[in-house]
Amino acid sequence: MPTLPGTTQSLDDYISILCDLLKSPLVRQITGGIHVNDALIYNAWDALPEDWTNWWSSLPDHRLAQHHLIDSINDTRISNLTSPDIGNPPDSLTDWLAKLHAASLARSQRAGPCIELPPDLAAPMNTKKKAEVSVAAAYIQGICIKRNITRVIDIGSGQGYLSIALAHLYPELRVLAIDGSESQIAASSSFAETLGVPKDKITHLVRYVDRKTHALVDEMAAWADGQDCILVGLHACGQLSEHMLRYFIQLPFIKSLAAVGCCYNHIVPRSPECPDGFPISARLRSRDVSLSATALMTGCQAPNNWERTDLSSPDSTFSNRRLYRTIFEKLLHDKNIDISSKNRTPWGIRKGDTVSFAKFARRAMHSLGIVDDAITDAELNEYDERYRGCKGQIAILWTLSVLCCKLVESVIALDRYCYLVEQGARDADIVPIFDYSISPRNLMMVARKESGFLGRKEANT
């Protein structure tokens, strides 16, 4: 069972706390009810508690408010919610931030094994990947020893760093690396060959993975050759994590699971067209849990790890870009210019685009195929003058929108945990396996099955 936050003792109590907070009007608003880009259209600032906005407006720099908000969800700094630079925030804000923090699963790395990677193995990895592989490989090998498993199936193996580490470092292990990208598999195969990993130690497959890939199931079974396997994934994107959980439950030769998810914005919510979508557990479905596209994107954020802004330096162009995008959406709305059917040409923000709102808007109009005379220069200047003072408000609203990152990820992880338990898996857990400051997607789903395990029928309620 995962370590529950705060003084919560019961899983049902924790689910209630989590779901109640997720469904509260404020959390709903900032995770999709009013998107930051539409803040001026729907008066998002005025929809926030007045004592909060009054206090934020009294600060000499909106970045002080952003710092305070981000610090509040840091596991190591929750007790330091006041600062001599900003005075005392409203009690209601402090209470709300404390509830947000208390309802989120802890991310402090759980003590566990770690292996030092040989230089030739670690050479192509960045610092983050080295830290992840050195911990994940040792953890997975420990499961294999405990469960007498010698075969590892790595789904979404990417460039193969974890797969190759397992095959290269542990003589008893055989690895099947599966990824949908031909170029990734080619790079992985080449790297394994360079390291001298024998071909019978690692097998590569280019396969797109979904729940209905019957041919892939047959290939995995043939490769397993009657041996027990562990199914692993190091940052399996979006729905891939859920496919892996179902493979674990349904395939008799897969006895253990160790998977870390990521890219929650690629999760497909449950609908009549996708009855297998999120949430996948009966427990969360019975509570009618849902996450908007904005909330799913929020779950991908890690504001605690962002570089601290220097208050003595000018505000970043990122704040200008957010403000200008919001003003532009307001202008389009007021002039009834519909861009929903436009073929949007991809365009990156250039340094010159944030020099002024007029330059930003003209570039956006060109990208969207809006003729120049649809909006006059006078109108652009008028909206710039009217809303340029909202820069701090938009910056704070944007920070609020990502502040629920740990809450959203906790809901997703809990849903997957509940699914495993409901299906009869043993020793299911949510393990914060990596150092959050290095790898914020650090929640690993682990579970095991006994011989003769029969998965239960999934609920569709």
Side-chain angles (χ1 to χ4, degrees):
M1 182 172 175
T3 302
L4 301 179
T7 58
T8 308
Q9 300 296 321
S10 161
L11 181 63
D12 283 332
D13 287 346
Y14 177 50
I15 292 174
S16 295
I17 292 170
L18 201 59
C19 292
D20 288 348
L21 189 54
L22 188 69
K23 293 180 179 180
S24 64
L26 181 59
V27 172
R28 283 292 192 188
Q29 175 190 335
I30 64 178
T31 60
I34 302 178
H35 194 280
V36 176
N37 291 340
D38 299 325
L40 297 177
I41 297 173
Y42 298 108
N43 298 315
W45 183 256
D46 293 337
L48 297 174
E50 187 176 4
D51 54 339
W52 299 10
T53 57
N54 286 342
W55 181 66
W56 288 327
S57 298
S58 72
L59 298 177
D61 191 321
H62 66 264
R63 290 175 291 180
L64 288 168
Q66 291 179 288
H67 290 175
H68 168 257
L69 291 170
I70 291 171
D71 287 349
S72 73
I73 61 167
N74 190 327
D75 289 345
T76 62
R77 298 181 65 175
I78 186 62
S79 62
N80 186 26
L81 292 180
T82 61
S83 164
D85 296 325
I86 61 175
N88 294 316
D91 290 342
S92 60
L93 175 59
T94 300
D95 291 344
W96 183 77
L97 291 171
K99 288 178 181 177
L100 194 67
H101 182 273
S104 302
L105 292 170
R107 299 310 180 80
S108 298
Q109 183 179 20
R110 190 178 298 181
C114 182
I115 188 169
E116 184 175 352
L117 303 180
D120 55 348
L121 177 62
M125 304 182 197
N126 59 28
T127 301
K128 175 175 178 287
K129 190 58 64 178
K130 290 175 188 176
E132 292 170 350
V133 172
S134 62
V135 171
Y139 189 89
I140 290 166
Q141 193 246 1
I143 295 175
C144 290
I145 291 175
K146 185 176 181 180
R147 299 278 291 155
N148 195 29
I149 291 173
T150 59
R151 303 218 169 202
V152 180
I153 300 176
D154 183 0
I155 288 187
S157 57
Q159 296 182 68
Y161 295 139
L162 176 61
S163 299
I164 294 169
L166 291 167
H168 185 56
L169 298 175
Y170 305 115
E172 73 278 9
L173 297 183
R174 300 290 183 272
V175 181
L176 175 63
I178 304 170
D179 197 271
S181 169
E182 187 173 349
S183 61
Q184 295 273 58
I185 287 294
S188 177
S189 180
S190 176
F191 185 36
E193 185 176 352
T194 299
L195 290 173
V197 180
K199 291 188 179 298
D200 66 334
K201 287 272 291 169
I202 186 167
T203 302
H204 289 89
L205 279 181
V206 180
R207 298 290 185 271
Y208 179 76
V209 179
D210 62 30
R211 190 185 179 192
K212 300 177 181 178
T213 313
H214 301 298
L216 176 57
V217 170
D218 293 339
E219 288 178 297
M220 289 191 293
W223 177 84
D225 194 26
Q227 301 295 309
D228 290 347
C229 301
I230 181 172
L231 184 63
V232 306
L234 183 49
H235 294 132
C237 293
Q239 293 289 102
L240 183 56
S241 290
E242 295 172 3
H243 297 327
M244 291 178 65
L245 266 60
R246 288 181 165 116
Y247 280 158
F248 166 70
I249 291 298
Q250 295 169 4
L251 304 184
F253 55 91
I254 297 178
K255 301 298 187 188
S256 291
L257 171 75
V260 182
C262 72
C263 300
Y264 305 122
N265 54 305
H266 293 305
I267 288 176
V268 178
R270 187 170 181 247
S271 67
E273 295 75 27
C274 183
D276 296 333
F278 172 88
I280 60 174
S281 70
R283 249 175 170 158
L284 267 64
R285 286 183 176 184
S286 69
R287 292 175 177 266
D288 197 29
V289 171
S290 64
L291 292 172
S292 68
T294 301
L296 291 170
M297 183 62 77
T298 293
C300 301
Q301 303 299 320
N304 290 142
N305 290 3
W306 294 346
E307 184 177 353
R308 192 81 166 191
T309 56
D310 182 359
L311 297 178
S312 65
S313 301
D315 200 1
S316 67
T317 56
F318 183 77
S319 291
N320 284 340
R321 185 173 67 186
R322 282 286 174 189
L323 173 64
Y324 292 162
R325 173 64 187 274
T326 307
I327 298 175
F328 185 62
E329 293 286 353
K330 172 65 172 169
L331 181 53
L332 294 178
H333 175 269
D334 290 351
K335 291 186 67 65
N336 293 315
I337 298 176
D338 183 12
I339 61 173
S340 60
S341 61
K342 297 287 185 182
N343 293 320
R344 303 192 180 200
T345 303
W347 60 295
I349 299 294
R350 299 171 183 168
K351 187 175 181 180
D353 294 341
T354 56
V355 170
S356 70
F357 173 64
K359 286 185 177 294
F360 179 94
R362 289 298 181 199
R363 178 97 191 283
M365 290 170 63
H366 176 75
S367 174
L368 294 168
I370 301 172
V371 296
D372 285 345
D373 58 4
I375 303 175
T376 67
D377 289 341
E379 288 172 321
L380 292 178
N381 291 332
E382 176 192 347
Y383 273 71
D384 184 20
E385 289 281 347
R386 187 187 307 173
Y387 295 113
R388 68 174 57 172
C390 297
K391 183 176 181 178
Q393 296 179 6
I394 302 303
I396 292 171
L397 283 165
W398 184 80
T399 304
L400 279 174
S401 74
V402 301
L403 206 65
C404 294
C405 57
K406 294 179 183 178
L407 181 73
V408 169
E409 192 170 17
S410 296
V411 173
I412 295 168
L414 190 67
D415 177 50
R416 294 171 178 177
Y417 168 80
C418 288
Y419 171 82
L420 291 172
V421 172
E422 289 165 3
Q423 294 299 312
R426 304 290 298 275
D427 298 336
D429 200 355
I430 304 171
V431 179
I433 190 167
F434 305 131
D435 181 344
Y436 186 83
S437 65
I438 298 174
S439 184
R441 304 284 78 78
N442 73 338
L443 298 180
M444 175 178 275
M445 305 301 305
V446 299
R448 67 178 179 88
K449 299 186 310 193
E450 299 288 359
S451 298
F453 171 88
L454 294 175
R456 300 165 187 167
K457 182 178 177 61
E458 290 189 40
N460 289 315
T461 56

